[in-house]
Amino acid sequence: MTLNLQYEAIGKGFVQQYYALFDDPNQRRNLANMYNVELSFMTFEGVQIQGAPKIMEKIASLTFQKINRIITAVDSQPMFDGGVLINVLGRLQTDEDLPHAYVQTFVLKPIEGSFFVQHDCFRLVLHDTADDDPPHAYSQVFVLKPLGGSFFVQHDIFRLGIHDSA
């Protein structure tokens, strides 16, 4: 078991680099270098995709060109294999659409002195509510590990979806 003690710096640096590439339509294709050909998984708005080629097909199919992004919070945890679990809360506006909150979770897996994105889950935070005072959105990420014939929670990140809109 090797905990990476630089997990916070790795998490923040990765998020900055990932979104710099993603948010620039001319650089977006370079995200392929962050995913593994076979071992990467992405869940995008509930659709699961495996492998860098399929993930890049999905990313290339997104039709927006302009992205305004505000990152509200980056929560990271060291994983016992030297990897890093990252949960991002933010606001996202594409082209001329209204801004929406989003949550994105990454699991970085160590490989030869670097990392690749083993897991990537993205979800817009959309709620259908007419309530004048709706409850706050939240994000919670669990990593389960087998224990005997069951599982235990090895990692748990919880974040209320509260954004400073000032």
Short mmCIF file of all heavy atoms in Angstrom, two decimals, residues 6-45:
data_model
loop_
_atom_site.label_atom_id
_atom_site.label_comp_id
_atom_site.label_asym_id
_atom_site.label_seq_id
_atom_site.Cartn_x
_atom_site.Cartn_y
_atom_site.Cartn_z
N GLN A 6 1.42 13.50 -2.31
CA GLN A 6 1.25 14.71 -3.13
C GLN A 6 -0.14 14.76 -3.77
O GLN A 6 -0.36 15.49 -4.74
CB GLN A 6 2.32 14.75 -4.22
CG GLN A 6 3.73 14.73 -3.69
CD GLN A 6 4.03 15.92 -2.80
OE1 GLN A 6 3.67 17.04 -3.12
NE2 GLN A 6 4.65 15.67 -1.66
N TYR A 7 -1.10 14.00 -3.24
CA TYR A 7 -2.41 13.84 -3.86
C TYR A 7 -3.14 15.16 -4.11
O TYR A 7 -3.78 15.31 -5.15
CB TYR A 7 -3.29 12.88 -3.06
CG TYR A 7 -3.67 13.38 -1.69
CD1 TYR A 7 -4.87 14.03 -1.50
CD2 TYR A 7 -2.83 13.18 -0.60
CE1 TYR A 7 -5.23 14.49 -0.25
CE2 TYR A 7 -3.18 13.62 0.65
CZ TYR A 7 -4.37 14.28 0.82
OH TYR A 7 -4.72 14.75 2.06
N GLU A 8 -3.06 16.11 -3.19
CA GLU A 8 -3.77 17.38 -3.40
C GLU A 8 -3.17 18.17 -4.55
O GLU A 8 -3.90 18.68 -5.41
CB GLU A 8 -3.77 18.21 -2.11
CG GLU A 8 -4.74 17.68 -1.09
CD GLU A 8 -4.91 18.62 0.08
OE1 GLU A 8 -5.29 19.78 -0.16
OE2 GLU A 8 -4.66 18.18 1.22
N ALA A 9 -1.86 18.28 -4.60
CA ALA A 9 -1.20 19.00 -5.69
C ALA A 9 -1.43 18.29 -7.03
O ALA A 9 -1.67 18.93 -8.05
CB ALA A 9 0.29 19.14 -5.42
N ILE A 10 -1.38 16.96 -7.01
CA ILE A 10 -1.63 16.18 -8.24
C ILE A 10 -3.06 16.42 -8.70
O ILE A 10 -3.32 16.66 -9.89
CB ILE A 10 -1.35 14.69 -8.00
CG1 ILE A 10 0.15 14.47 -7.81
CG2 ILE A 10 -1.88 13.85 -9.17
CD1 ILE A 10 0.51 13.10 -7.27
N GLY A 11 -4.02 16.36 -7.78
CA GLY A 11 -5.42 16.58 -8.13
C GLY A 11 -5.66 17.94 -8.73
O GLY A 11 -6.26 18.07 -9.80
N LYS A 12 -5.17 18.98 -8.08
CA LYS A 12 -5.38 20.34 -8.60
C LYS A 12 -4.65 20.57 -9.92
O LYS A 12 -5.19 21.17 -10.84
CB LYS A 12 -4.95 21.37 -7.56
CG LYS A 12 -5.93 21.43 -6.41
CD LYS A 12 -5.58 22.45 -5.37
CE LYS A 12 -6.70 22.42 -4.34
NZ LYS A 12 -6.38 23.01 -3.10
N GLY A 13 -3.43 20.06 -10.05
CA GLY A 13 -2.68 20.20 -11.29
C GLY A 13 -3.34 19.45 -12.43
O GLY A 13 -3.43 19.96 -13.56
N PHE A 14 -3.83 18.24 -12.15
CA PHE A 14 -4.51 17.47 -13.17
C PHE A 14 -5.76 18.19 -13.66
O PHE A 14 -5.99 18.30 -14.87
CB PHE A 14 -4.89 16.07 -12.65
CG PHE A 14 -5.84 15.37 -13.57
CD1 PHE A 14 -5.38 14.76 -14.73
CD2 PHE A 14 -7.21 15.37 -13.32
CE1 PHE A 14 -6.27 14.15 -15.61
CE2 PHE A 14 -8.09 14.77 -14.18
CZ PHE A 14 -7.63 14.15 -15.33
N VAL A 15 -6.58 18.67 -12.74
CA VAL A 15 -7.82 19.35 -13.11
C VAL A 15 -7.52 20.57 -13.98
O VAL A 15 -8.17 20.79 -15.02
CB VAL A 15 -8.62 19.74 -11.85
CG1 VAL A 15 -9.73 20.73 -12.15
CG2 VAL A 15 -9.19 18.48 -11.18
N GLN A 16 -6.52 21.34 -13.60
CA GLN A 16 -6.14 22.51 -14.40
C GLN A 16 -5.72 22.10 -15.81
O GLN A 16 -6.15 22.69 -16.80
CB GLN A 16 -5.01 23.26 -13.69
CG GLN A 16 -4.59 24.52 -14.39
CD GLN A 16 -3.49 25.24 -13.63
OE1 GLN A 16 -2.82 24.68 -12.75
NE2 GLN A 16 -3.28 26.49 -13.97
N GLN A 17 -4.89 21.07 -15.92
CA GLN A 17 -4.41 20.61 -17.22
C GLN A 17 -5.54 20.00 -18.05
O GLN A 17 -5.67 20.29 -19.25
CB GLN A 17 -3.29 19.59 -17.03
CG GLN A 17 -2.72 19.07 -18.34
CD GLN A 17 -1.64 18.03 -18.11
OE1 GLN A 17 -1.49 17.48 -17.02
NE2 GLN A 17 -0.89 17.74 -19.15
N TYR A 18 -6.37 19.17 -17.44
CA TYR A 18 -7.46 18.51 -18.15
C TYR A 18 -8.42 19.53 -18.76
O TYR A 18 -8.75 19.47 -19.94
CB TYR A 18 -8.21 17.56 -17.21
CG TYR A 18 -9.29 16.76 -17.91
CD1 TYR A 18 -9.00 15.53 -18.47
CD2 TYR A 18 -10.59 17.24 -18.00
CE1 TYR A 18 -9.98 14.79 -19.12
CE2 TYR A 18 -11.57 16.52 -18.66
CZ TYR A 18 -11.27 15.29 -19.21
OH TYR A 18 -12.24 14.57 -19.86
N TYR A 19 -8.86 20.49 -17.94
CA TYR A 19 -9.84 21.47 -18.44
C TYR A 19 -9.22 22.46 -19.42
O TYR A 19 -9.92 22.96 -20.30
CB TYR A 19 -10.53 22.17 -17.28
CG TYR A 19 -11.47 21.25 -16.51
CD1 TYR A 19 -11.54 21.31 -15.12
CD2 TYR A 19 -12.27 20.32 -17.16
CE1 TYR A 19 -12.39 20.48 -14.42
CE2 TYR A 19 -13.11 19.47 -16.46
CZ TYR A 19 -13.17 19.56 -15.09
OH TYR A 19 -14.02 18.73 -14.39
N ALA A 20 -7.92 22.74 -19.30
CA ALA A 20 -7.27 23.60 -20.30
C ALA A 20 -7.35 22.93 -21.67
O ALA A 20 -7.61 23.60 -22.68
CB ALA A 20 -5.82 23.87 -19.90
N LEU A 21 -7.15 21.62 -21.72
CA LEU A 21 -7.25 20.90 -22.99
C LEU A 21 -8.71 20.76 -23.44
O LEU A 21 -9.04 21.00 -24.60
CB LEU A 21 -6.62 19.51 -22.87
CG LEU A 21 -5.12 19.45 -22.66
CD1 LEU A 21 -4.66 18.02 -22.41
CD2 LEU A 21 -4.37 20.07 -23.84
N PHE A 22 -9.58 20.37 -22.52
CA PHE A 22 -10.98 20.13 -22.87
C PHE A 22 -11.66 21.41 -23.36
O PHE A 22 -12.43 21.38 -24.31
CB PHE A 22 -11.74 19.56 -21.67
CG PHE A 22 -13.11 19.06 -22.02
CD1 PHE A 22 -13.31 17.72 -22.27
CD2 PHE A 22 -14.19 19.92 -22.11
CE1 PHE A 22 -14.58 17.24 -22.61
CE2 PHE A 22 -15.45 19.47 -22.45
CZ PHE A 22 -15.65 18.12 -22.70
N ASP A 23 -11.38 22.51 -22.70
CA ASP A 23 -12.10 23.75 -22.99
C ASP A 23 -11.62 24.45 -24.25
O ASP A 23 -12.27 25.38 -24.73
CB ASP A 23 -12.00 24.71 -21.80
CG ASP A 23 -12.74 24.16 -20.56
OD1 ASP A 23 -13.42 23.12 -20.67
OD2 ASP A 23 -12.62 24.79 -19.49
N ASP A 24 -10.52 24.02 -24.83
CA ASP A 24 -10.00 24.60 -26.07
C ASP A 24 -10.28 23.62 -27.21
O ASP A 24 -9.66 22.56 -27.29
CB ASP A 24 -8.49 24.83 -25.95
CG ASP A 24 -7.87 25.45 -27.18
OD1 ASP A 24 -8.53 25.49 -28.25
OD2 ASP A 24 -6.72 25.89 -27.09
N PRO A 25 -11.23 23.95 -28.12
CA PRO A 25 -11.58 23.01 -29.18
C PRO A 25 -10.38 22.58 -30.03
O PRO A 25 -10.38 21.47 -30.57
CB PRO A 25 -12.59 23.77 -30.04
CG PRO A 25 -12.91 25.02 -29.33
CD PRO A 25 -11.95 25.20 -28.20
N ASN A 26 -9.36 23.41 -30.13
CA ASN A 26 -8.17 23.06 -30.91
C ASN A 26 -7.24 22.08 -30.16
O ASN A 26 -6.38 21.46 -30.78
CB ASN A 26 -7.38 24.31 -31.29
CG ASN A 26 -8.21 25.22 -32.19
OD1 ASN A 26 -8.90 24.76 -33.09
ND2 ASN A 26 -8.16 26.51 -31.91
N GLN A 27 -7.39 21.99 -28.85
CA GLN A 27 -6.54 21.10 -28.03
C GLN A 27 -7.27 19.86 -27.54
O GLN A 27 -6.64 18.93 -27.04
CB GLN A 27 -6.02 21.88 -26.81
CG GLN A 27 -5.09 23.01 -27.15
CD GLN A 27 -3.80 22.49 -27.75
OE1 GLN A 27 -3.25 21.47 -27.33
NE2 GLN A 27 -3.32 23.17 -28.77
N ARG A 28 -8.58 19.83 -27.67
CA ARG A 28 -9.40 18.76 -27.10
C ARG A 28 -8.93 17.37 -27.51
O ARG A 28 -8.95 16.44 -26.71
CB ARG A 28 -10.85 18.99 -27.50
CG ARG A 28 -11.84 18.43 -26.53
CD ARG A 28 -13.26 18.86 -26.84
NE ARG A 28 -13.45 20.25 -26.43
CZ ARG A 28 -14.34 21.08 -26.96
NH1 ARG A 28 -15.14 20.67 -27.92
NH2 ARG A 28 -14.44 22.32 -26.52
N ARG A 29 -8.48 17.20 -28.74
CA ARG A 29 -8.04 15.88 -29.22
C ARG A 29 -6.86 15.34 -28.40
O ARG A 29 -6.64 14.14 -28.34
CB ARG A 29 -7.70 15.93 -30.70
CG ARG A 29 -6.48 16.76 -31.01
CD ARG A 29 -6.23 16.89 -32.51
NE ARG A 29 -5.12 17.76 -32.80
CZ ARG A 29 -5.17 19.10 -32.79
NH1 ARG A 29 -6.30 19.71 -32.50
NH2 ARG A 29 -4.10 19.80 -33.05
N ASN A 30 -6.09 16.24 -27.76
CA ASN A 30 -4.94 15.83 -26.96
C ASN A 30 -5.32 15.13 -25.66
O ASN A 30 -4.46 14.56 -24.98
CB ASN A 30 -4.03 17.02 -26.69
CG ASN A 30 -3.39 17.53 -27.97
OD1 ASN A 30 -3.01 16.75 -28.84
ND2 ASN A 30 -3.30 18.84 -28.10
N LEU A 31 -6.62 15.17 -25.31
CA LEU A 31 -7.07 14.44 -24.12
C LEU A 31 -6.85 12.93 -24.29
O LEU A 31 -6.76 12.21 -23.29
CB LEU A 31 -8.55 14.71 -23.86
CG LEU A 31 -8.90 16.10 -23.34
CD1 LEU A 31 -10.41 16.29 -23.35
CD2 LEU A 31 -8.33 16.32 -21.96
N ALA A 32 -6.74 12.45 -25.51
CA ALA A 32 -6.52 11.02 -25.76
C ALA A 32 -5.29 10.52 -25.01
O ALA A 32 -5.25 9.36 -24.58
CB ALA A 32 -6.37 10.77 -27.26
N ASN A 33 -4.30 11.39 -24.82
CA ASN A 33 -3.08 11.01 -24.11
C ASN A 33 -3.29 10.76 -22.63
O ASN A 33 -2.43 10.18 -21.98
CB ASN A 33 -2.01 12.09 -24.30
CG ASN A 33 -1.64 12.27 -25.75
OD1 ASN A 33 -1.63 11.32 -26.52
ND2 ASN A 33 -1.38 13.50 -26.14
N MET A 34 -4.42 11.20 -22.10
CA MET A 34 -4.69 11.03 -20.67
C MET A 34 -5.42 9.73 -20.36
O MET A 34 -5.51 9.34 -19.20
CB MET A 34 -5.49 12.22 -20.15
CG MET A 34 -4.73 13.51 -20.20
SD MET A 34 -5.67 14.80 -19.38
CE MET A 34 -4.37 15.98 -19.07
N TYR A 35 -5.97 9.11 -21.39
CA TYR A 35 -6.75 7.88 -21.21
C TYR A 35 -5.96 6.67 -21.72
O TYR A 35 -5.15 6.80 -22.63
CB TYR A 35 -8.08 7.98 -21.96
CG TYR A 35 -9.01 9.03 -21.42
CD1 TYR A 35 -9.07 10.29 -22.00
CD2 TYR A 35 -9.82 8.76 -20.33
CE1 TYR A 35 -9.93 11.26 -21.50
CE2 TYR A 35 -10.68 9.73 -19.83
CZ TYR A 35 -10.73 10.97 -20.42
OH TYR A 35 -11.58 11.93 -19.92
N ASN A 36 -6.24 5.50 -21.17
CA ASN A 36 -5.62 4.25 -21.60
C ASN A 36 -6.48 3.63 -22.70
O ASN A 36 -7.71 3.68 -22.64
CB ASN A 36 -5.50 3.30 -20.41
CG ASN A 36 -4.81 2.01 -20.76
OD1 ASN A 36 -5.42 1.13 -21.33
ND2 ASN A 36 -3.54 1.92 -20.41
N VAL A 37 -5.83 3.01 -23.66
CA VAL A 37 -6.51 2.43 -24.82
C VAL A 37 -7.61 1.46 -24.39
O VAL A 37 -8.69 1.45 -24.97
CB VAL A 37 -5.50 1.74 -25.76
CG1 VAL A 37 -6.21 0.99 -26.87
CG2 VAL A 37 -4.54 2.76 -26.33
N GLU A 38 -7.35 0.64 -23.37
CA GLU A 38 -8.32 -0.38 -22.94
C GLU A 38 -8.84 -0.19 -21.53
O GLU A 38 -9.97 -0.55 -21.23
CB GLU A 38 -7.69 -1.77 -23.03
CG GLU A 38 -7.30 -2.19 -24.42
CD GLU A 38 -6.54 -3.51 -24.44
OE1 GLU A 38 -6.21 -4.02 -23.34
OE2 GLU A 38 -6.26 -4.00 -25.53
N LEU A 39 -8.02 0.36 -20.64
CA LEU A 39 -8.32 0.33 -19.20
C LEU A 39 -9.04 1.55 -18.66
O LEU A 39 -9.27 1.64 -17.47
CB LEU A 39 -7.02 0.11 -18.41
CG LEU A 39 -6.23 -1.15 -18.77
CD1 LEU A 39 -4.94 -1.20 -17.97
CD2 LEU A 39 -7.08 -2.39 -18.55
N SER A 40 -9.37 2.52 -19.51
CA SER A 40 -10.08 3.72 -19.06
C SER A 40 -11.58 3.56 -19.26
O SER A 40 -12.02 3.01 -20.27
CB SER A 40 -9.60 4.95 -19.83
OG SER A 40 -8.27 5.27 -19.48
N PHE A 41 -12.33 4.08 -18.30
CA PHE A 41 -13.79 4.10 -18.37
C PHE A 41 -14.26 5.54 -18.21
O PHE A 41 -13.72 6.29 -17.41
CB PHE A 41 -14.41 3.26 -17.24
CG PHE A 41 -14.26 1.80 -17.43
CD1 PHE A 41 -13.14 1.14 -16.95
CD2 PHE A 41 -15.25 1.06 -18.07
CE1 PHE A 41 -12.99 -0.23 -17.12
CE2 PHE A 41 -15.10 -0.31 -18.23
CZ PHE A 41 -13.98 -0.95 -17.75
N MET A 42 -15.30 5.89 -18.96
CA MET A 42 -15.97 7.18 -18.80
C MET A 42 -17.46 6.91 -18.68
O MET A 42 -18.01 6.09 -19.43
CB MET A 42 -15.72 8.10 -19.99
CG MET A 42 -16.57 9.38 -19.95
SD MET A 42 -16.45 10.36 -21.46
CE MET A 42 -15.07 11.41 -21.01
N THR A 43 -18.09 7.58 -17.75
CA THR A 43 -19.54 7.62 -17.71
C THR A 43 -19.91 9.08 -17.93
O THR A 43 -19.55 9.95 -17.13
CB THR A 43 -20.10 7.12 -16.36
OG1 THR A 43 -19.63 5.78 -16.16
CG2 THR A 43 -21.61 7.14 -16.37
N PHE A 44 -20.58 9.34 -19.04
CA PHE A 44 -20.94 10.71 -19.43
C PHE A 44 -22.46 10.80 -19.45
O PHE A 44 -23.11 10.18 -20.30
CB PHE A 44 -20.36 11.05 -20.81
CG PHE A 44 -20.55 12.49 -21.20
CD1 PHE A 44 -19.62 13.43 -20.82
CD2 PHE A 44 -21.66 12.89 -21.91
CE1 PHE A 44 -19.78 14.76 -21.17
CE2 PHE A 44 -21.84 14.20 -22.26
CZ PHE A 44 -20.90 15.15 -21.89
N GLU A 45 -23.02 11.52 -18.49
CA GLU A 45 -24.48 11.67 -18.39
C GLU A 45 -25.18 10.31 -18.42
O GLU A 45 -26.17 10.13 -19.10
CB GLU A 45 -25.00 12.58 -19.49
CG GLU A 45 -24.60 14.03 -19.34
CD GLU A 45 -25.24 14.70 -18.14
OE1 GLU A 45 -26.39 14.38 -17.78
OE2 GLU A 45 -24.57 15.55 -17.52
#
